[in-house]
Amino acid sequence: MVLVRAPTGSGKSLLARAIAGCARTAGESEAGEPIDAYYTTPQVSQLDDVAGDDLLQDLKVVRGKNNYDCILPGETDTPVDQAPCARERMFDCQVQHRCPYFSDRAIAANNRIAAMTLAYFMQTAGSDVFGPRDVLVIDEAHGLGNWAEMYATIDLGPDTVPIWDACEPPDIDGLDDAAKYADRLDTMADRRLAEVRQRAELSPEEAAERDALVKLQSDLSWFVEDYRDTESATTWVVDQPDGAGSRVTVKPMAPEKYLRHTVWDRASNFALLSATILNKDAFCANVGLSPDRVTLVEVPHTFPAENRPLYDVTQGKMTYEARDETIPRVAETLVRIMQAHPDERGLVHCHSYAIQDQLRAHLREFGVDSRVRSHDSDDRDAQLSTWKRVDDPDIFLSVKMEEALDLEGDRCRWQLLCKAPYPNTRDSRVAARLEDDQWGWYYRTALRTVIQACGRVVRAPDDYGATYLADSSLLDLFERARLDMPGWFAEQVDLMNEPDLPAVDTAAATGSSRGPSGGSSRSHSSSTSRSGSASESSGASASGSGSGSDGDDDSGSPSGRRRSRRSSSKSNPIADVWDTE
């Protein structure tokens, strides 16, 4: 097992391809030995990049059934998971060999390197089509434990339980109550499933109900068996915040057994790649690996530190209690940053939709809304695509876009981090870890997200982009997680300083002072440094000696006290949607 820590933008996909290419071939293997390789990643967008990369054409991609449409006459708008082959008993599809899903599956299954999302890969565990292989490469592997926890979470509500009205939960007071309710729900699901399966032909809605019932039974069985297994290492937590008759969520922590079945039993050799596997021992503990059987390989950063500067524009804390006072100051600072980058697109990491809404309202009051774009949970991909495509130097108020986003070159030259991305302490798994005094995990998780975000705008050795920090809790995070920082990121932190931003001028921020047309040059401003920093364009040194949920508590410590701002001294870690079959 090899963990590869390689900086963002360093070409991990090509490295993954090289590693996968080392897998045994049929001619090199003994009888019964696995051959070939899998490439998988949690991020759908990362898989899209692989599918569109000319250098990775020999990776054959397969996606979940719901990503493909049936090709039968009259069914061309029907996803394959609801097509006649999924609805009618003994249906004999005469064109299955041309079905886009089954075609891609067959090609990937017989190809030397099969590529798929981590969700799809986990769901194919135990299948005859995708059996064990010699090599498994997991790209963007830093969140493997968290992704496994999410995939293994059992969410019981009216939208996930087809028989909800007939079997609403009582007041769930602990895991014993949850297991008893799961037993009753499983029995009733079995009865309903037997009724549905008696029918020779199902409507698309009935087919969807059948599949939901099958998944429900599988999830319930997994939870009950594991919870009652006295030797299982998995810890479970249960939430029912609204009491009897309301949604119940059962969550595993460090689901070692789940990962063993879905990941570790499916290959002989493993390579896990990420920029932010920050602590080898902690990562291994979280995913059920023995550290003495794992090697960490560090790939140095080849991007000059002066091309990826950090700038301290902190305006106070962005905790829930403090943000009403802090956000207006952040908005004013953002206007000043827009002035320092009049011809360059910028990305604002808002952390939550609540912060996004407040920030946009204040920007509207400043009169700079014409240069601002945003998105909601339904149109995020479309709005992002439009922002990247247009030539205007607009800023994009984003939520949960810290990972798997390539903004090389003039796509984006600067970004602002509004909030320290500490995990939500209202999440029962987070609360359980903090009760167990796992503060190191808490800081590493936030630091990992910050490092991932910082890598969005600098994607090549000759690329450049500035990152501005608005939340003072980020400075505290850097101190507390200093020992877990990769050296190349610590270098960025050590070079961080405070830029000399211009005074607020909304006309300059929107470009309306540049003439009647209001147009702006697409070329890089000659008054802005190669690093894209506001500080050099306004006379300050860029290399000076200076340094989705909204209920999180980013105090950064049990006491909630903020440390003083770090000096120049060197004393000084989601959102993508996955597809499933």
Side-chain angles (χ1 to χ4, degrees):
M1 171 79 67
V2 177
L3 308 182
V4 180
R5 185 162 70 187
T8 51
S10 60
K12 288 189 295 296
S13 296
L14 291 176
L15 179 57
R17 164 62 186 86
I19 295 172
C22 295
R24 277 192 300 252
T25 64
E28 298 169 337
S29 64
E30 301 291 338
E33 286 185 326
I35 62 173
D36 299 334
Y38 289 115
Y39 169 90
T40 184
T41 174
Q43 304 284 4
V44 175
S45 56
Q46 181 74 14
L47 193 68
D48 291 340
D49 290 343
V50 168
D53 193 327
D54 292 338
L55 297 176
L56 302 174
Q57 288 184 342
D58 53 348
L59 275 68
K60 299 306 179 184
V61 174
V62 58
R63 306 174 189 272
K65 283 184 178 180
N66 60 323
N67 292 275
Y68 301 86
D69 289 332
C70 181
I71 60 173
L72 289 171
E75 300 282 355
T76 53
D77 292 329
T78 305
V80 172
D81 62 340
Q82 298 178 26
C85 62
R87 304 196 313 255
E88 300 178 25
R89 188 187 307 160
M90 305 298 291
F91 181 82
D92 182 17
C93 182
Q94 300 299 310
V95 295
Q96 189 180 90
H97 62 288
R98 293 194 290 111
C99 171
Y101 168 70
F102 286 101
S103 176
D104 276 4
R105 190 182 73 165
I107 292 171
N110 291 285
N111 193 65
R112 179 151 166 73
I113 307 174
M116 60 196 74
T117 63
L118 183 63
Y120 184 88
F121 179 73
M122 287 179 164
Q123 290 180 356
T124 60
S127 75
D128 295 331
V129 178
F130 293 109
R133 295 197 173 193
D134 181 36
V135 172
L136 169 60
V137 180
I138 305 179
D139 204 353
E140 303 296 342
H142 51 271
L144 180 59
N146 292 337
W147 285 96
E149 289 179 1
M150 282 191 286
Y151 295 149
T153 290
I154 303 167
D155 187 21
L156 305 174
D159 53 335
T160 61
V161 179
I163 54 172
W164 178 263
D165 291 340
C167 195
E168 290 187 354
D171 185 28
I172 303 295
D173 184 18
L175 288 165
D176 284 341
D177 286 351
K180 292 175 184 177
Y181 175 60
D183 286 335
R184 181 160 64 94
L185 195 57
D186 179 67
T187 299
M188 298 194 69
D190 198 52
R191 293 174 185 169
R192 175 56 182 164
L193 195 55
E195 294 176 8
V196 173
R197 283 174 167 165
Q198 287 177 353
R199 302 171 188 173
E201 183 176 344
L202 303 178
S203 67
E205 294 75 21
E206 290 169 330
E209 179 187 6
R210 177 204 60 203
D211 294 344
L213 288 167
V214 169
K215 182 180 186 303
L216 175 64
Q217 285 196 303
S218 176
D219 290 346
L220 295 173
S221 175
W222 144 247
F223 159 57
V224 172
E225 291 179 10
D226 189 88
Y227 172 61
R228 291 173 176 161
D229 180 0
T230 57
E231 297 182 358
S232 173
T234 304
T235 299
W236 293 87
V237 294
V238 60
D239 291 324
Q240 191 191 35
D242 298 322
S246 67
R247 180 179 298 274
V248 177
T249 307
V250 187
K251 307 173 183 178
M253 295 173 58
E256 180 178 317
K257 184 185 294 186
Y258 181 80
L259 280 169
R260 186 185 312 122
H261 169 63
T262 59
V263 178
W264 307 133
D265 288 346
R266 302 187 61 190
S268 303
N269 301 284
F270 302 84
L272 279 58
L273 285 65
S274 173
T276 50
I277 296 178
L278 301 180
N279 183 295
K280 171 189 163 182
D281 290 348
F283 177 85
C284 290
N286 190 234
V287 298
L289 297 174
S290 175
D292 60 0
R293 302 187 64 184
V294 177
T295 297
L296 176 63
V297 176
E298 183 91 35
V299 177
H301 212 316
T302 60
F303 303 176
E306 60 268 23
N307 286 11
R308 43 186 172 92
L310 293 176
Y311 291 105
D312 177 0
V313 294
T314 54
Q315 298 300 311
K317 283 184 173 292
M318 284 289 287
T319 57
Y320 184 79
E321 295 78 9
R323 70 181 54 158
D324 284 345
E325 294 184 8
T326 307
I327 286 182
R329 297 197 292 268
V330 172
E332 179 178 330
T333 300
L334 180 53
V335 173
R336 298 170 66 195
I337 296 172
M338 292 167 65
Q339 292 172 231
H341 299 270
D343 302 311
E344 297 173 330
R345 280 182 285 195
L347 178 69
V348 180
H349 296 281
C350 297
H351 182 78
S352 71
Y353 287 106
I355 294 175
Q356 181 197 66
D357 289 344
Q358 286 184 266
L359 193 57
R360 178 140 201 179
H362 285 290
L363 293 174
R364 190 177 296 114
E365 292 177 2
F366 273 107
V368 298
D369 197 49
S370 62
R371 197 181 159 189
V372 178
R373 294 176 181 266
S374 62
H375 66 90
D376 57 33
S377 59
D378 295 324
D379 67 357
R380 54 181 286 135
D381 291 340
Q383 293 292 349
L384 175 64
S385 178
T386 299
W387 173 69
K388 290 165 65 176
R389 186 175 62 250
V390 300
D391 290 333
D392 298 327
D394 294 343
I395 69 169
F396 192 65
L397 306 184
S398 71
V399 177
K400 303 303 180 186
M401 291 189 181
E402 297 92 348
E403 297 188 33
L405 180 60
D406 185 345
L407 298 175
E408 183 176 2
D410 288 335
R411 288 180 177 178
C412 187
R413 289 298 183 191
W414 60 273
Q415 58 184 347
L416 174 71
L417 274 62
C418 288
K419 187 180 185 305
Y422 285 106
N424 185 357
T425 55
R426 295 182 182 179
D427 185 299
S428 54
R429 285 172 299 194
V430 175
R433 286 188 168 101
L434 296 186
E435 288 175 6
D436 193 36
D437 208 28
Q438 296 183 33
W439 289 93
W441 167 87
Y442 186 68
Y443 303 133
R444 281 192 298 272
T445 301
L447 178 62
R448 187 177 68 203
T449 303
V450 170
I451 295 174
Q452 288 286 339
C454 289
R456 296 314 99 206
V457 298
V458 184
R459 309 296 298 178
D462 59 349
D463 198 4
Y464 55 90
T467 298
Y468 297 88
L469 309 178
D471 183 2
S472 60
S473 294
L474 287 163
L475 307 180
D476 184 69
L477 171 63
F478 290 164
E479 291 188 14
R480 295 182 181 276
R482 177 72 184 201
L483 293 179
D484 289 314
M485 281 185 189
W488 55 267
F489 187 73
E491 182 182 16
Q492 284 181 256
V493 173
D494 287 337
L495 292 174
M496 178 172 59
N497 65 6
E498 299 181 22
D500 184 13
L501 296 173
V504 173
D505 181 342
T506 56
T510 58
S512 58
S513 62
R514 283 172 285 175
S517 66
S520 59
S521 169
R522 297 287 81 79
S523 62
H524 181 54
S525 171
S526 60
S527 64
T528 305
S529 74
R530 179 173 173 75
S531 68
S533 72
S535 61
E536 286 197 6
S537 66
S538 54
S541 170
S543 58
S545 60
S547 48
S549 169
D550 200 38
D552 49 357
D553 171 16
D554 56 2
S555 61
S557 68
S559 66
R561 291 184 300 172
R562 177 194 178 301
R563 298 185 181 184
S564 61
R565 178 170 301 181
R566 64 184 305 277
S567 68
S568 60
S569 148
K570 292 192 177 182
S571 63
N572 231 308
I574 336 113
D576 210 331
V577 179
W578 56 85
D579 59 351
T580 59
E581 184 172 13

